[in-house]
Amino acid sequence: MNVGYIRVSSKGQNVDRQKKSLEEYGCEKVFIDKKSGKDLEREQYHEMKSFIREKDIVIFAELDRLGRNREEINQEWNDLINRGCDIKVLDMPILDTTQYKDDMGKFILTIARELLGYIAEQERVKLLERQRQGIEIAKQKGKYQGAEKFYRPDSKNPEFRYKYYQIIDLLEKKVPVSQISRDVRVSRNTVYRIKKEKDYASL
């Protein structure tokens, strides 16, 4: 059986693109989580893991639906394999365990997964470094007005959008501002600004 999994980081995000990809591939059952991907405490993800059986194929539209970093991705990947399932990642065709059954194939697949995970992590590191350098230049020119304005739902930067929806999700759960600031790694002013905008929009 083909089983799909989708995660988006906020209830306000649209899942149609991922769902369409999975259904077109032939998923008979699709599980959807609409909450922060900060950790793997996701209701539908665990429902999916309880639902799947040996020889099922678990399909993800993107590799990072498995986890937010290489460690989480590897942990969940290995858990699914140990359950006797296959895994396919639609936007990375090489990550398809149905195509690699012999020892050499499994070795190639492991190397590919590690390499792609490493590249993704390095891209995030470079992105954060460019952001830091940009802020420093803006400060030197007297044009820096605070990083909190970067975190918006319409930001062109996916990392900023992700953190914005992560903050919204935690605010809806009544998590204290100080804890959100620590968990998301943004300033308290950023959280207060987003909370103020959220409360104003609900009036």
Side-chain angles (χ1 to χ4, degrees), residues 171 190-203:
L171 286 171
T190 294
V191 182
Y192 280 121
R193 191 266 299 169
I194 292 175
K195 183 178 186 299
K196 182 177 179 182
E197 292 176 352
K198 175 178 175 294
D199 292 342
Y200 181 81
S202 66
L203 295 178

Side-chain angles (χ1 to χ4, degrees), residues 98-193:
T98 66
Q99 302 298 315
Y100 301 95
K101 292 301 183 182
D102 59 18
D103 289 341
M104 180 57 70
K106 291 177 182 178
F107 175 74
I108 292 171
L109 183 63
T110 299
I111 295 298
R113 190 179 79 244
E114 287 288 341
L115 178 60
L116 290 168
Y118 174 79
I119 291 171
E121 281 195 348
Q122 291 305 304
E123 285 299 315
R124 284 194 292 272
V125 169
K126 290 178 182 178
L127 174 64
L128 292 174
E129 178 60 19
R130 287 195 296 268
Q131 292 168 1
R132 186 193 66 77
Q133 292 175 354
I135 289 172
E136 288 300 317
I137 293 172
K139 284 181 177 180
Q140 292 172 10
K141 294 182 177 180
K143 296 181 179 180
Y144 181 67
Q145 298 182 5
E148 62 271 22
K149 292 188 177 181
F150 291 151
Y151 301 102
R152 294 185 175 278
D154 57 352
S155 172
K156 294 181 180 180
N157 187 309
E159 188 73 15
F160 292 160
R161 289 199 306 274
Y162 168 73
K163 286 197 173 186
Y164 173 86
Y165 284 114
Q166 188 177 7
I167 292 168
I168 289 291
D169 183 58
L170 293 172
L171 286 171
E172 290 176 349
K173 293 178 180 176
K174 309 299 183 183
V175 176
V177 169
S178 59
Q179 183 177 335
I180 296 175
S181 175
R182 290 194 301 272
D183 289 348
V184 185
R185 296 184 181 181
V186 297
S187 69
R188 292 188 183 186
N189 286 340
T190 294
V191 182
Y192 280 121
R193 191 266 299 169

